[in-house]
Amino acid sequence: MLTDKAVVMKCKIIPSDLKAIINSISKIESDTLLLVVDNKVYSLLEQEMDIVQEIQNKGKKVILWKSSEGEKAKSFDEYQCCVEFFLEKGIHRNCHLVAIGGGATTDFGGFVASTLLRGIKWTCVPTTLLAMIDAGIGGKTGINSKSGKNLIGSFYLPENVYINTAFLQTLPQREISSGLGEMIKYSFLNRSIYEELIKGKDYKEQIINCAQFKQQIVEEDFLELKNRKFLNLGHTFGHGLERIYNIPHGIAVVWGMALIFKIIQEENYLSELRLLLDILKWQEVDPPWHNKRFPSKDLYDYISRDKKRTSRNSIDLILLDKIGTPKIEKFFLDDLEKKLDKHESKLRIFNLRSAGHIIF
Ligand SMILES: NC(=O)c1ccc[n+]([C@@H]2O[C@H](COP(=O)([O-])OP(=O)(O)OC[C@H]3O[C@@H](n4cnc5c(N)ncnc54)[C@H](O)[C@@H]3O)[C@@H](O)[C@H]2O)c1
């Protein structure tokens, strides 16, 4: 049985600029650093500085793996090529892996670190909003299987998480929306994050609050046996939609929450969701199934195979008692299927436009 409180406490979140990040990476206690960098991020960084050269100038050996862009990295093929590449270079157990990229790269890099030589230390440098506040924190690592996302993985904490919001300057708007989706999820889970967002504070000021909130939950429940499950608000439907429509994770989570609020909970949470989206100037107000049939069957099929399912005929859903107070409720899969079928025609015209433009 894993009991990892001590390991959890080692994970530090440090807001920093790129130069300071390079300095900190160069001070990591290891003579050899394995850099796993998202290919696109690497090209963008190259325009600013040669990070490999900078780190080597500070006396480290650097072995660089440029990983396929985004989600493409989370495959068996990429995993095999990457670990074989590092092993051929003659690495040792004190090598330290540094993953630089969005959540896909940090999931992938962390998984490589957790399995290489039965586990080497690693550091996470998130470059997307979603990875800064969520994916990069908490040590869930993994790759995808044909049967679903993140089905092969490990719980394996990074030693450090270095957050530099300047990375967001090059991030496409859709990926910002995706990160905002997770931020909105936090605001339903944590009253003070909700209040700050409602005040209309710039989301960048919220990044460290969100990162620390996630870190705190992870410290309380590293293995997701209790409160960490709350972070899955919107994810049961969200993961299904992400898979069916190939949309960014955080955007799928917003639609996942919208479905929970629409078909399972009272609708006042839907108004709160619309309000937050409006404040954050969220663009994705039409659902991925816009003008098409709502995919009840595909969604149900996905949910009934979800790895978070804890029994053959039921699933735990995260709902809200009130804003800031989530709860877990068991749902029979049969009942869920009936609810999806019942709402299918109404969901066809559902959207998240703000009050005044609500069609539904
Ligand atoms: N481990 C966890 O706890 C956890 C939590 C949530 C999500 N995730 C995973 O995270 C992944 C999604 O991560 P993501 O949303 O960060 O997206 P991502 O890593 O897939 O990156 C999205 C796109 O942005 C590009 N990109 C990254 N940083 C950039 C930058 N600074 N400037 C310009 N382009 C940049 C990437 O090349 C890619 O094209 C999913 O695989 C999801 O399953 C994991």
Side-chain angles (χ1 to χ4, degrees), residues 167-181:
F167 283 123
L168 301 179
Q169 283 161 13
T170 53
L171 196 64
Q173 183 53 46
R174 200 146 196 246
E175 299 301 334
I176 297 278
S177 295
S178 175
L180 290 178

mmCIF file with all atom_site columns, all heavy atoms in Angstrom, residues 167-181:
data_model
loop_
_atom_site.group_PDB
_atom_site.id
_atom_site.type_symbol
_atom_site.label_atom_id
_atom_site.label_alt_id
_atom_site.label_comp_id
_atom_site.label_asym_id
_atom_site.label_entity_id
_atom_site.label_seq_id
_atom_site.pdbx_PDB_ins_code
_atom_site.Cartn_x
_atom_site.Cartn_y
_atom_site.Cartn_z
_atom_site.occupancy
_atom_site.B_iso_or_equiv
_atom_site.pdbx_formal_charge
_atom_site.auth_seq_id
_atom_site.auth_comp_id
_atom_site.auth_asym_id
_atom_site.auth_atom_id
_atom_site.pdbx_PDB_model_num
ATOM 1   N N   . PHE A 1 167 ? 4.915   32.030 -20.693 1.00 0.00 ? 167 PHE A N   1
ATOM 2   C CA  . PHE A 1 167 ? 4.684   31.007 -21.737 1.00 0.00 ? 167 PHE A CA  1
ATOM 3   C C   . PHE A 1 167 ? 3.317   31.218 -22.403 1.00 0.00 ? 167 PHE A C   1
ATOM 4   O O   . PHE A 1 167 ? 3.114   30.842 -23.540 1.00 0.00 ? 167 PHE A O   1
ATOM 5   C CB  . PHE A 1 167 ? 4.691   29.594 -21.139 1.00 0.00 ? 167 PHE A CB  1
ATOM 6   C CG  . PHE A 1 167 ? 6.064   29.051 -20.822 1.00 0.00 ? 167 PHE A CG  1
ATOM 7   C CD1 . PHE A 1 167 ? 6.385   28.641 -19.532 1.00 0.00 ? 167 PHE A CD1 1
ATOM 8   C CD2 . PHE A 1 167 ? 7.025   28.910 -21.811 1.00 0.00 ? 167 PHE A CD2 1
ATOM 9   C CE1 . PHE A 1 167 ? 7.629   28.120 -19.236 1.00 0.00 ? 167 PHE A CE1 1
ATOM 10  C CE2 . PHE A 1 167 ? 8.276   28.388 -21.525 1.00 0.00 ? 167 PHE A CE2 1
ATOM 11  C CZ  . PHE A 1 167 ? 8.592   27.994 -20.231 1.00 0.00 ? 167 PHE A CZ  1
ATOM 12  N N   . LEU A 1 168 ? 2.381   31.817 -21.664 1.00 0.00 ? 168 LEU A N   1
ATOM 13  C CA  . LEU A 1 168 ? 1.007   31.931 -22.177 1.00 0.00 ? 168 LEU A CA  1
ATOM 14  C C   . LEU A 1 168 ? 0.898   32.919 -23.346 1.00 0.00 ? 168 LEU A C   1
ATOM 15  O O   . LEU A 1 168 ? -0.083  32.902 -24.073 1.00 0.00 ? 168 LEU A O   1
ATOM 16  C CB  . LEU A 1 168 ? 0.047   32.347 -21.051 1.00 0.00 ? 168 LEU A CB  1
ATOM 17  C CG  . LEU A 1 168 ? 0.004   31.392 -19.849 1.00 0.00 ? 168 LEU A CG  1
ATOM 18  C CD1 . LEU A 1 168 ? -0.952  31.917 -18.783 1.00 0.00 ? 168 LEU A CD1 1
ATOM 19  C CD2 . LEU A 1 168 ? -0.419  29.996 -20.288 1.00 0.00 ? 168 LEU A CD2 1
ATOM 20  N N   . GLN A 1 169 ? 1.939   33.759 -23.498 1.00 0.00 ? 169 GLN A N   1
ATOM 21  C CA  . GLN A 1 169 ? 1.881   34.763 -24.587 1.00 0.00 ? 169 GLN A CA  1
ATOM 22  C C   . GLN A 1 169 ? 1.745   34.116 -25.966 1.00 0.00 ? 169 GLN A C   1
ATOM 23  O O   . GLN A 1 169 ? 1.182   34.699 -26.877 1.00 0.00 ? 169 GLN A O   1
ATOM 24  C CB  . GLN A 1 169 ? 3.139   35.636 -24.561 1.00 0.00 ? 169 GLN A CB  1
ATOM 25  C CG  . GLN A 1 169 ? 3.097   36.676 -23.449 1.00 0.00 ? 169 GLN A CG  1
ATOM 26  C CD  . GLN A 1 169 ? 4.467   37.214 -23.109 1.00 0.00 ? 169 GLN A CD  1
ATOM 27  O OE1 . GLN A 1 169 ? 5.430   37.009 -23.833 1.00 0.00 ? 169 GLN A OE1 1
ATOM 28  N NE2 . GLN A 1 169 ? 4.555   37.903 -21.983 1.00 0.00 ? 169 GLN A NE2 1
ATOM 29  N N   . THR A 1 170 ? 2.285   32.907 -26.113 1.00 0.00 ? 170 THR A N   1
ATOM 30  C CA  . THR A 1 170 ? 2.230   32.268 -27.442 1.00 0.00 ? 170 THR A CA  1
ATOM 31  C C   . THR A 1 170 ? 1.116   31.214 -27.532 1.00 0.00 ? 170 THR A C   1
ATOM 32  O O   . THR A 1 170 ? 0.935   30.589 -28.572 1.00 0.00 ? 170 THR A O   1
ATOM 33  C CB  . THR A 1 170 ? 3.581   31.567 -27.748 1.00 0.00 ? 170 THR A CB  1
ATOM 34  O OG1 . THR A 1 170 ? 3.892   30.687 -26.670 1.00 0.00 ? 170 THR A OG1 1
ATOM 35  C CG2 . THR A 1 170 ? 4.696   32.568 -27.958 1.00 0.00 ? 170 THR A CG2 1
ATOM 36  N N   . LEU A 1 171 ? 0.400   31.030 -26.434 1.00 0.00 ? 171 LEU A N   1
ATOM 37  C CA  . LEU A 1 171 ? -0.600  29.952 -26.413 1.00 0.00 ? 171 LEU A CA  1
ATOM 38  C C   . LEU A 1 171 ? -1.848  30.343 -27.225 1.00 0.00 ? 171 LEU A C   1
ATOM 39  O O   . LEU A 1 171 ? -2.404  31.411 -27.001 1.00 0.00 ? 171 LEU A O   1
ATOM 40  C CB  . LEU A 1 171 ? -0.984  29.656 -24.953 1.00 0.00 ? 171 LEU A CB  1
ATOM 41  C CG  . LEU A 1 171 ? -1.703  28.338 -24.708 1.00 0.00 ? 171 LEU A CG  1
ATOM 42  C CD1 . LEU A 1 171 ? -0.805  27.142 -25.050 1.00 0.00 ? 171 LEU A CD1 1
ATOM 43  C CD2 . LEU A 1 171 ? -2.146  28.235 -23.251 1.00 0.00 ? 171 LEU A CD2 1
ATOM 44  N N   . PRO A 1 172 ? -2.286  29.490 -28.166 1.00 0.00 ? 172 PRO A N   1
ATOM 45  C CA  . PRO A 1 172 ? -3.480  29.822 -28.946 1.00 0.00 ? 172 PRO A CA  1
ATOM 46  C C   . PRO A 1 172 ? -4.710  30.025 -28.039 1.00 0.00 ? 172 PRO A C   1
ATOM 47  O O   . PRO A 1 172 ? -4.826  29.389 -26.985 1.00 0.00 ? 172 PRO A O   1
ATOM 48  C CB  . PRO A 1 172 ? -3.686  28.589 -29.840 1.00 0.00 ? 172 PRO A CB  1
ATOM 49  C CG  . PRO A 1 172 ? -2.368  27.883 -29.853 1.00 0.00 ? 172 PRO A CG  1
ATOM 50  C CD  . PRO A 1 172 ? -1.702  28.202 -28.542 1.00 0.00 ? 172 PRO A CD  1
ATOM 51  N N   . GLN A 1 173 ? -5.636  30.883 -28.509 1.00 0.00 ? 173 GLN A N   1
ATOM 52  C CA  . GLN A 1 173 ? -6.818  31.238 -27.703 1.00 0.00 ? 173 GLN A CA  1
ATOM 53  C C   . GLN A 1 173 ? -7.605  30.000 -27.261 1.00 0.00 ? 173 GLN A C   1
ATOM 54  O O   . GLN A 1 173 ? -8.105  29.921 -26.154 1.00 0.00 ? 173 GLN A O   1
ATOM 55  C CB  . GLN A 1 173 ? -7.715  32.198 -28.500 1.00 0.00 ? 173 GLN A CB  1
ATOM 56  C CG  . GLN A 1 173 ? -8.933  32.701 -27.739 1.00 0.00 ? 173 GLN A CG  1
ATOM 57  C CD  . GLN A 1 173 ? -8.603  33.325 -26.377 1.00 0.00 ? 173 GLN A CD  1
ATOM 58  O OE1 . GLN A 1 173 ? -7.675  34.123 -26.254 1.00 0.00 ? 173 GLN A OE1 1
ATOM 59  N NE2 . GLN A 1 173 ? -9.347  32.929 -25.335 1.00 0.00 ? 173 GLN A NE2 1
ATOM 60  N N   . ARG A 1 174 ? -7.711  29.013 -28.146 1.00 0.00 ? 174 ARG A N   1
ATOM 61  C CA  . ARG A 1 174 ? -8.503  27.825 -27.807 1.00 0.00 ? 174 ARG A CA  1
ATOM 62  C C   . ARG A 1 174 ? -7.888  27.092 -26.607 1.00 0.00 ? 174 ARG A C   1
ATOM 63  O O   . ARG A 1 174 ? -8.590  26.533 -25.768 1.00 0.00 ? 174 ARG A O   1
ATOM 64  C CB  . ARG A 1 174 ? -8.548  26.906 -29.037 1.00 0.00 ? 174 ARG A CB  1
ATOM 65  C CG  . ARG A 1 174 ? -9.694  25.945 -28.955 1.00 0.00 ? 174 ARG A CG  1
ATOM 66  C CD  . ARG A 1 174 ? -10.328 25.581 -30.249 1.00 0.00 ? 174 ARG A CD  1
ATOM 67  N NE  . ARG A 1 174 ? -11.609 24.979 -29.971 1.00 0.00 ? 174 ARG A NE  1
ATOM 68  C CZ  . ARG A 1 174 ? -11.905 23.714 -30.232 1.00 0.00 ? 174 ARG A CZ  1
ATOM 69  N NH1 . ARG A 1 174 ? -11.022 22.927 -30.792 1.00 0.00 ? 174 ARG A NH1 1
ATOM 70  N NH2 . ARG A 1 174 ? -13.104 23.240 -29.925 1.00 0.00 ? 174 ARG A NH2 1
ATOM 71  N N   . GLU A 1 175 ? -6.549  27.097 -26.544 1.00 0.00 ? 175 GLU A N   1
ATOM 72  C CA  . GLU A 1 175 ? -5.877  26.430 -25.417 1.00 0.00 ? 175 GLU A CA  1
ATOM 73  C C   . GLU A 1 175 ? -6.032  27.260 -24.139 1.00 0.00 ? 175 GLU A C   1
ATOM 74  O O   . GLU A 1 175 ? -6.103  26.702 -23.047 1.00 0.00 ? 175 GLU A O   1
ATOM 75  C CB  . GLU A 1 175 ? -4.392  26.184 -25.733 1.00 0.00 ? 175 GLU A CB  1
ATOM 76  C CG  . GLU A 1 175 ? -4.135  25.287 -26.940 1.00 0.00 ? 175 GLU A CG  1
ATOM 77  C CD  . GLU A 1 175 ? -4.753  23.893 -26.801 1.00 0.00 ? 175 GLU A CD  1
ATOM 78  O OE1 . GLU A 1 175 ? -4.935  23.431 -25.654 1.00 0.00 ? 175 GLU A OE1 1
ATOM 79  O OE2 . GLU A 1 175 ? -5.058  23.287 -27.843 1.00 0.00 ? 175 GLU A OE2 1
ATOM 80  N N   . ILE A 1 176 ? -6.104  28.599 -24.290 1.00 0.00 ? 176 ILE A N   1
ATOM 81  C CA  . ILE A 1 176 ? -6.392  29.443 -23.105 1.00 0.00 ? 176 ILE A CA  1
ATOM 82  C C   . ILE A 1 176 ? -7.790  29.088 -22.601 1.00 0.00 ? 176 ILE A C   1
ATOM 83  O O   . ILE A 1 176 ? -8.005  28.870 -21.409 1.00 0.00 ? 176 ILE A O   1
ATOM 84  C CB  . ILE A 1 176 ? -6.313  30.956 -23.448 1.00 0.00 ? 176 ILE A CB  1
ATOM 85  C CG1 . ILE A 1 176 ? -4.905  31.363 -23.875 1.00 0.00 ? 176 ILE A CG1 1
ATOM 86  C CG2 . ILE A 1 176 ? -6.843  31.814 -22.291 1.00 0.00 ? 176 ILE A CG2 1
ATOM 87  C CD1 . ILE A 1 176 ? -3.925  31.644 -22.767 1.00 0.00 ? 176 ILE A CD1 1
ATOM 88  N N   . SER A 1 177 ? -8.756  28.986 -23.540 1.00 0.00 ? 177 SER A N   1
ATOM 89  C CA  . SER A 1 177 ? -10.129 28.631 -23.136 1.00 0.00 ? 177 SER A CA  1
ATOM 90  C C   . SER A 1 177 ? -10.134 27.299 -22.401 1.00 0.00 ? 177 SER A C   1
ATOM 91  O O   . SER A 1 177 ? -10.853 27.121 -21.414 1.00 0.00 ? 177 SER A O   1
ATOM 92  C CB  . SER A 1 177 ? -11.040 28.495 -24.359 1.00 0.00 ? 177 SER A CB  1
ATOM 93  O OG  . SER A 1 177 ? -11.177 29.724 -24.991 1.00 0.00 ? 177 SER A OG  1
ATOM 94  N N   . SER A 1 178 ? -9.324  26.383 -22.883 1.00 0.00 ? 178 SER A N   1
ATOM 95  C CA  . SER A 1 178 ? -9.266  25.062 -22.251 1.00 0.00 ? 178 SER A CA  1
ATOM 96  C C   . SER A 1 178 ? -8.798  25.188 -20.792 1.00 0.00 ? 178 SER A C   1
ATOM 97  O O   . SER A 1 178 ? -9.401  24.627 -19.876 1.00 0.00 ? 178 SER A O   1
ATOM 98  C CB  . SER A 1 178 ? -8.330  24.156 -23.065 1.00 0.00 ? 178 SER A CB  1
ATOM 99  O OG  . SER A 1 178 ? -8.161  22.931 -22.433 1.00 0.00 ? 178 SER A OG  1
ATOM 100 N N   . GLY A 1 179 ? -7.742  25.985 -20.577 1.00 0.00 ? 179 GLY A N   1
ATOM 101 C CA  . GLY A 1 179 ? -7.260  26.204 -19.205 1.00 0.00 ? 179 GLY A CA  1
ATOM 102 C C   . GLY A 1 179 ? -8.309  26.909 -18.352 1.00 0.00 ? 179 GLY A C   1
ATOM 103 O O   . GLY A 1 179 ? -8.510  26.573 -17.181 1.00 0.00 ? 179 GLY A O   1
ATOM 104 N N   . LEU A 1 180 ? -9.005  27.870 -18.970 1.00 0.00 ? 180 LEU A N   1
ATOM 105 C CA  . LEU A 1 180 ? -10.050 28.584 -18.212 1.00 0.00 ? 180 LEU A CA  1
ATOM 106 C C   . LEU A 1 180 ? -11.157 27.616 -17.790 1.00 0.00 ? 180 LEU A C   1
ATOM 107 O O   . LEU A 1 180 ? -11.773 27.776 -16.741 1.00 0.00 ? 180 LEU A O   1
ATOM 108 C CB  . LEU A 1 180 ? -10.630 29.727 -19.049 1.00 0.00 ? 180 LEU A CB  1
ATOM 109 C CG  . LEU A 1 180 ? -9.688  30.916 -19.289 1.00 0.00 ? 180 LEU A CG  1
ATOM 110 C CD1 . LEU A 1 180 ? -10.360 31.964 -20.180 1.00 0.00 ? 180 LEU A CD1 1
ATOM 111 C CD2 . LEU A 1 180 ? -9.241  31.554 -17.984 1.00 0.00 ? 180 LEU A CD2 1
ATOM 112 N N   . GLY A 1 181 ? -11.384 26.598 -18.616 1.00 0.00 ? 181 GLY A N   1
ATOM 113 C CA  . GLY A 1 181 ? -12.381 25.583 -18.274 1.00 0.00 ? 181 GLY A CA  1
ATOM 114 C C   . GLY A 1 181 ? -12.050 24.924 -16.940 1.00 0.00 ? 181 GLY A C   1
ATOM 115 O O   . GLY A 1 181 ? -12.908 24.773 -16.061 1.00 0.00 ? 181 GLY A O   1
#
